[in-house]
Amino acid sequence: MKPFRVLVGYALASSLCLSSAGAMAQVITEFTDGLSDGAHPLSIVAGPDGNLWFTEYNGGDQIGRITPEGVITEFADGIANGAQPFGIAAGPDGNLWFTEQSSNFGINRVARITTSGVVTEFTSGITQFAHPTFITAWSDGNLWFTEDLGNAIARITVSGVVTEFTDGICKPSSCPPFGATPTGIAAGPDGNLWFTELNNNRIGRLMPNGAISTYGVGISPGSSPFAIAAGPDGNMWFTENTGNRIGRITPAGVITEFSAGISPDARLFGITAGPDGNIWFTEQFANQIGRITPDGVVTEFSDGLSVDANPSGITPGPDGNLWFAEAGGGIGRITTGVPSDVIFMDGFD
């Protein structure tokens, strides 16, 4: 069995519920035992079974599961060769749902995996070469995902029926060279879906009636908005992959960017709200985990990350800590200093 690695870095605790705690140790632990060589873990989410589930973009086209204790199991049966699983989300049906970006013959899929590891793939209704990317559950009881090359937002029911929505999303003819390229997607506290447009440098909003609005004022040119998540403050927060900033957008569409405290050329990837009342994000090129308060104060953590870990997706775990995928070949955990029985309400269903 390969040993896991633990080192400690220190930072002040969040002022929310933790101000009396003083200096809290942020402990990073990496887990590699049970991962296939070249697995390339990419996206990660907390499952309904109390474990974390993640995609393996390479290394056998698998879905991985890790317990809070760090035991990893991989599932490959039922996943097409060359599937390249990318995004993953917990569905309203008690299963996990993930996207497959494989461009083999232009066939893309969205798949469902039960907590016991049974996989079902769905292709009907997905346009060829659409390239499904991130996926999220919404309050309508369905899963919604982005198609970055298809320039669409798509909905899949828990029975596998897909509908694509393209009205209001910029096409290559108007937004060269690739169109809007919708990428990240998340449900907002305002009852809408919010998504990023990587190439068009904008944030989009999809309302329950299907109307799409986009917002770009306040985003620096060439920033490439990537992942997006609901914050603890009622706003949406997003990473700028090439812009090297964290962005915040209010429900009214007012955008603010934050760059102070972020390492140069960090290549920000995943983002999530933490149980400590802050927003946490990953820095692939800088090989760090970042934390930003709702007021915009950034702290970076790197002690405990192996060389070329390339942290990517990040999510809160059932243990009160943050868990992240390492595209370099591991799963990481960073403590938040919040007990697992402390629950923060997110303010929406």
Side-chain angles (χ1 to χ4, degrees), residues 59-77:
D61 300 303
Q62 300 175 123
I63 297 298
R65 180 188 67 203
I66 184 168
T67 69
E69 296 75 32
V71 179
I72 293 174
T73 306
E74 295 177 317
F75 301 91
D77 288 349

Side-chain angles (χ1 to χ4, degrees), residues 9-320:
Y10 291 92
L12 291 180
S14 164
S15 60
L16 179 59
C17 298
L18 297 175
S19 58
S20 62
M24 299 294 294
Q26 305 297 321
V27 183
I28 291 178
T29 307
E30 293 180 313
F31 303 90
T32 59
D33 191 50
L35 277 177
S36 301
D37 290 340
H40 200 98
L42 199 64
S43 297
I44 187 167
V45 71
D49 58 347
N51 300 309
L52 289 303
W53 291 75
F54 55 94
T55 57
E56 297 184 11
Y57 195 68
N58 293 319
D61 300 303
Q62 300 175 123
I63 297 298
R65 180 188 67 203
I66 184 168
T67 69
E69 296 75 32
V71 179
I72 293 174
T73 306
E74 295 177 317
F75 301 91
D77 288 349
I79 302 177
N81 291 333
Q84 295 182 315
F86 191 96
I88 190 167
D93 56 348
N95 300 309
L96 288 304
W97 290 75
F98 60 97
T99 59
E100 299 180 6
Q101 287 199 329
S102 170
S103 59
N104 292 339
F105 307 105
I107 299 173
N108 302 147
R109 305 171 182 87
V110 170
R112 178 186 66 212
I113 183 169
T114 69
T115 53
S116 60
V118 178
V119 174
T120 306
E121 296 178 317
F122 303 93
T123 61
S124 181
I126 302 176
T127 302
Q128 278 191 311
F129 302 105
H131 218 234
T133 309
F134 285 106
I135 186 168
T136 193
W138 201 13
S139 57
D140 63 349
N142 300 308
L143 286 300
W144 290 74
F145 59 96
T146 53
E147 297 179 356
D148 62 358
L149 297 185
N151 285 297
I153 303 296
R155 179 187 67 211
I156 184 168
T157 68
V158 293
S159 59
V161 178
V162 174
T163 306
E164 296 175 321
F165 300 86
T166 60
D167 288 348
I169 300 177
C170 198
K171 306 302 182 291
S173 58
S174 302
C175 300
F178 305 114
T181 57
T183 307
I185 189 168
D190 58 348
N192 299 310
L193 274 177
W194 292 79
F195 58 94
T196 61
E197 294 186 349
L198 185 73
N199 180 63
N200 200 28
N201 219 51
R202 300 175 74 86
I203 303 298
R205 182 190 66 197
L206 173 68
M207 301 178 71
N209 64 6
I212 290 177
S213 302
T214 59
Y215 305 90
V217 176
I219 301 179
S220 299
S223 290
S224 302
F226 192 71
I228 191 167
D233 56 350
N235 300 310
M236 302 300 292
W237 291 73
F238 57 95
T239 54
E240 296 183 2
N241 187 254
T242 57
N244 217 56
R245 303 174 189 88
I246 295 294
R248 180 186 66 204
I249 183 168
T250 70
V254 179
I255 294 171
T256 306
E257 294 179 317
F258 302 91
S259 59
I262 300 175
S263 297
D265 196 26
R267 287 297 174 122
L268 310 185
F269 192 99
I271 192 167
T272 192
D276 59 347
N278 298 308
I279 301 94
W280 292 73
F281 57 96
T282 57
E283 303 179 8
Q284 278 203 316
F285 281 19
N287 216 48
Q288 298 178 129
I289 303 298
R291 182 188 66 203
I292 183 169
T293 69
D295 295 328
V297 179
V298 172
T299 306
E300 296 176 319
F301 305 92
S302 60
D303 288 347
L305 281 172
S306 56
V307 176
D308 297 327
N310 292 329
S312 50
I314 187 168
T315 191
D319 55 353

